[in-house]
């Protein structure tokens, strides 16, 4: 673990920095998550139906969801390198414009009935571009947020990574819920599912404008020094890279299960009505966003490791009983989601700070971006597909155990993780 030393300078107006990172990040994740909440409508329109298995279009939709995730490591590496070589703000500008363009492309994707195989091809290209953008966004915004924090406030600032992520997801869920409840099935399948993606393209321009007022957090020493190579973080810091993977594996499977896939999981395995599942997801996401600053403050006071263990061991013990408790009941679904959100906060509220405290500033963005995004692609991006596949194979009860085992493995990493909360961040 890299030892850290104090810095004499900090970016001015930290609240403005927080706003620039958070608003842009919220827009990025709104665009990304709109796809998840509208997966069943996209499946009906973009993929061919199978006479033998009604889950084939949905499986195809989630496969494209996973494919987008596998561009995230590339985005984390490339945009992280831009952030380390050209500055954090430059990378954040590129990512939000890229996300806006790819969101518009999703909204313009033709139906399978109109364009045949071209329809899923266009969708795959759009998701690949979104994956590139999101991977770079996490690398750049994580670094930007933590470097913008004042003394003893890195955990608090870190928590806004998921406050803004959840805000974007919440807006996406809310928009989807309003559309589902106000439009007929015919209109939703015809044009209603496209509206959130067109809106996302417009919001990306707003985020771009706000980020123009942000101040660069890369130090003068870094600007004047030699630029790091593309693979320097992996080559010179292999232990730190592996540590990021171990920290992230359990967190990403729990996060994507509880915040993205659970409405679909409840529909498939408990018979929950689609509109009820979306509404429960929206309420629990609002609750989750409110918890994040509390988790960040607690970590600044008591350390990162206690919160990580609260998350990891909690999910290892409770994932199976919580997911098995789901019934055809809105109240039970909401309770299960909120219980998971409390546990999840132990990871999400501080993951940005933990990651940034591991790497030195010269390669911090790229060092975080690639291993984090690769782990998310392997375990988080595939969560909806794996869960749906288990259902298709007649073994839906195995998915909760899959979540629990990964969280247990990450807990073993947390037990050996050095405490970094009270060290100064090298700049």
């Amino acid at each position: 673990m890299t030892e850290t030393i104090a810095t004499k300078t900090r970016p001015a107006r930290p609240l403005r920095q927080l706003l620039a990172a958070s608003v842009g990040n919220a827009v990025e994740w709104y665009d990304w998550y709109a796809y998840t909440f509208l997966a069943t409508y996209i499946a009906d329109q973009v993929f061919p139906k199978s006479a033998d298995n009604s889950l084939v279009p949905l499986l195809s939709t989630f496969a494209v969801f996973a494919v987008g995730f596998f561009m995230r490591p590339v985005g984390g590496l490339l945009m992280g390198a831009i952030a380390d070589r050209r500055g954090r703000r430059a990378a954040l500008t590129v990512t939000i414009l890229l996300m806006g363009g790819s969101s518009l492309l999703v909204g313009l994707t033709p139906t399978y009935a109109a364009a045949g195989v071209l329809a899923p091809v266009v969708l795959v290209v759009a998701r690949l571009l979104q994956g590139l953008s999101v991977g770079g966004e996490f690398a750049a915004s994580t670094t930007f947020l933590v470097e913008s924090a004042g003394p003893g406030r890195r955990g608090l600032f870190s928590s806004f990574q998921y406050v803004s992520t959840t805000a974007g997801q919440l807006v996406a869920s809310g928009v989807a819920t309003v559309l589902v409840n106000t439009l007929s099935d015919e209109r939703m399948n015809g044009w209603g599912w496209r509206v959130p993606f067109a809106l996302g393209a417009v919001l990306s321009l707003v985020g771009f404008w706000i980020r123009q007022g942000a101040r660069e957090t890369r130090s003068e020493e870094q600007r004047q020094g030699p630029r790091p190579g593309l693979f320097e973080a992996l080559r010179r810091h292999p232990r730190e890279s592996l540590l990021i993977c171990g920290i992230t594996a359990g967190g990403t499977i729990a996060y994507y299960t509880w915040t993205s896939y659970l409405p679909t999981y409840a529909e498939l395995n408990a018979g929950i009505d689609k509109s009820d599942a979306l509404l429960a997801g929206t309420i629990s996401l609002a609750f989750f966003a409110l918890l994040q600053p509390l988790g960040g403050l607690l970590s600044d006071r008591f350390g990162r490791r206690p919160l990580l263990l609260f998350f990891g061991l909690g999910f290892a013990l409770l994932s199976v009983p919580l997911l098995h408790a789901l019934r055809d009941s809105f109240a039970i679904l909401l309770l299960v989601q909120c219980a998971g959100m409390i546990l999840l906060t132990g990871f999400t509220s501080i993951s940005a700070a933990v990651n940034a405290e591991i790497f030195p500033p010269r390669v911090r963005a790229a060092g975080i971006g690639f291993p984090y995004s690769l782990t998310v692609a392997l375990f988080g991006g595939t969560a909806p597909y794996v869960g749906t596949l288990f259902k298709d194979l007649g073994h839906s009860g195995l998915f909760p155990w899959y979540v629990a085992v990964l969280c247990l493995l990450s807990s073993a990493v947390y037990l050996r993780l050095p405490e970094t909360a009270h060290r100064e961040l090298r700049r």
Side-chain angles (χ1 to χ4, degrees), residues 320-388:
V320 174
L322 284 173
L323 291 177
H324 282 174
L326 288 173
R327 299 289 184 274
D328 187 7
S329 166
F330 173 83
I332 290 177
L333 173 59
L334 184 59
L335 286 173
V336 167
Q337 286 199 289
C338 288
M341 298 304 193
I342 293 171
L343 295 173
L344 192 55
T345 296
F347 171 79
T348 53
S349 64
I350 59 172
S351 64
V354 172
N355 291 339
E357 289 161 354
I358 287 175
F359 276 95
R362 175 178 166 81
V363 292
R364 182 171 288 144
I368 293 169
F370 182 75
Y372 175 87
S373 296
L374 179 63
T375 309
V376 171
L378 289 172
F379 300 109
T382 58
Y385 184 83
V386 170
T388 306

Side-chain angles (χ1 to χ4, degrees), residues 7 80-88 143 147 216-228 359-365 425-427:
T7 180
I82 291 174
D84 289 332
R85 293 162 66 93
R86 298 286 185 179
R88 320 310 191 201
T143 306
E147 290 178 349
E216 180 56 55
T217 63
R218 191 174 58 140
S219 68
E220 188 63 31
E221 181 182 355
Q222 286 177 263
R223 296 177 207 174
Q224 295 179 355
R227 294 176 179 176
F359 276 95
R362 175 178 166 81
V363 292
R364 182 171 288 144
L425 189 73
R426 181 190 285 183
R427 299 290 298 280

Side-chain angles (χ1 to χ4, degrees), residues 18-19 27 68 78 86 108 111 149 151 153 184 252 362-363 371-372 412:
L18 197 61
L19 179 65
V27 172
L78 294 179
R86 298 286 185 179
L108 296 175
T111 64
R153 286 291 179 264
S184 65
T252 189
R362 175 178 166 81
V363 292
Y372 175 87

Side-chain angles (χ1 to χ4, degrees), residues 292-307:
Q292 301 310 297
L294 176 60
L297 286 169
L298 287 173
S299 80
D300 284 332
R301 178 77 180 273
F302 300 107
R304 318 294 188 216
R305 191 164 55 180
L307 267 75

Side-chain angles (χ1 to χ4, degrees), residues 395-425:
H395 299 292
S396 58
L398 292 179
F399 183 70
W401 288 101
Y402 174 63
V403 176
V405 168
L406 284 177
C407 290
L408 184 61
L409 291 175
S410 282
S411 296
V413 177
Y414 305 151
L415 280 169
R416 298 178 59 84
L417 191 67
E419 183 57 69
T420 58
H422 304 119
R423 296 180 184 178
E424 288 292 334
L425 189 73

Side-chain angles (χ1 to χ4, degrees), residues 306-324:
L307 267 75
L308 289 172
L309 288 171
F310 168 75
F311 151 74
L313 294 177
F315 264 106
L317 294 171
L318 297 176
S319 292
V320 174
L322 284 173
L323 291 177
H324 282 174

Side-chain angles (χ1 to χ4, degrees), residues 49-57 59 392:
K49 295 179 174 61
S50 170
D52 299 325
N53 192 337
S54 62
L55 286 178
V56 166
L59 279 170
D392 188 40

